[in-house]
Amino acid sequence: MANAIKKISVQRGYDVTRYLLNAFGGAGGQHACLVADSLGMTKVLVHPLSGLLSAYGIGLARVTEARQRGLETELSEDGKPEVETALADLSADVRAALAAQGVPEAGVTLIPRLHLRYAGTDTALPVVWEGDVQAARAAFETAHEAEFGFTAPDARLVIEIRRDRRAGRRSFGRSRTPCRF
């Protein structure tokens, strides 16, 4: 646990010795002092309801489902109906999976993505699909330039994978008010 905390914090430029450790979860209090010692921390916060906070957080967490399907076709206006049909099929699969987990349709957000690459290359980059070929190309070229430092505006783009991801919150069957501590 300490190594994971240290790795993430140090990568972000934080000096963990200047913070306190917030313990949560059913066994958080049992491990907190040893973890804090190994991180060089001198203070630990253990909330009286720390075991509940973990379960409460899980209850509030967004549920996500993703589906993807391989596709090797050129990104063009002519290929748009095939992409839309495929995304509709994936979307139906994802909706069914979320509904089975108790996520109401009203709380679902759709994020369709295409994985695009230049023809003749092997590295595909994900871009959000909004139904516009030119917008997808522009998003790909922005991502490609950020990743590789160049673009090839005249090159053909190939759709390698189509992906649909949805996220939503579970319905608990009644209105819930947030806990106040």
Side-chain angles (χ1 to χ4, degrees):
M1 285 185 259
N3 287 337
I5 293 169
K6 191 181 296 184
K7 181 178 180 183
I8 292 169
S9 299
V10 170
Q11 282 179 346
R12 293 182 180 168
Y14 296 107
D15 177 8
V16 295
T17 62
R18 297 177 47 218
Y19 293 89
L20 63 79
L21 180 66
N22 185 3
F24 63 92
Q30 294 174 352
H31 303 289
C33 290
L34 289 174
V35 172
D37 282 343
S38 63
L39 291 170
M41 297 174 144
T42 58
K43 295 181 183 174
V44 175
L45 171 66
V46 181
H47 191 279
L49 299 175
S50 63
L52 286 177
L53 292 176
S54 181
Y56 182 69
I58 290 169
L60 292 178
R62 295 180 67 78
V63 178
T64 60
E65 283 288 333
R67 298 291 185 274
Q68 62 186 31
R69 226 175 260 161
L71 176 68
E72 289 283 333
T73 189
E74 185 175 348
L75 176 68
S76 65
E77 291 295 332
D78 294 339
K80 213 167 129 174
E82 182 182 3
V83 170
E84 294 294 344
T85 300
L87 285 172
D89 292 345
L90 292 172
S91 182
D93 291 349
V94 169
R95 272 193 207 107
L98 287 172
Q101 295 183 58
V103 177
E105 179 65 30
V108 172
T109 304
L110 169 67
I111 307 170
R113 296 183 191 276
L114 301 178
H115 290 236
L116 302 176
R117 63 178 171 81
Y118 285 125
T121 65
D122 61 357
T123 304
L125 299 173
V127 298
V128 174
W129 174 250
E130 297 172 344
D132 183 349
V133 171
Q134 294 307 316
R137 182 175 190 95
F140 170 79
E141 289 181 345
T142 298
H144 196 276
E145 183 158 15
E147 184 76 22
F148 301 108
F150 72 95
T151 61
D154 297 327
R156 290 183 318 116
L157 283 182
V158 175
I159 302 168
E160 186 174 280
I161 294 174
R162 55 188 178 251
R163 181 176 187 211
D164 188 10
R165 179 172 186 246
R166 285 183 174 255
R169 296 197 190 280
R170 286 185 182 91
S171 172
F172 292 103
R174 58 188 163 99
S175 175
R176 296 260 179 175
T177 57
C179 291
R180 288 180 178 51
F181 299 110

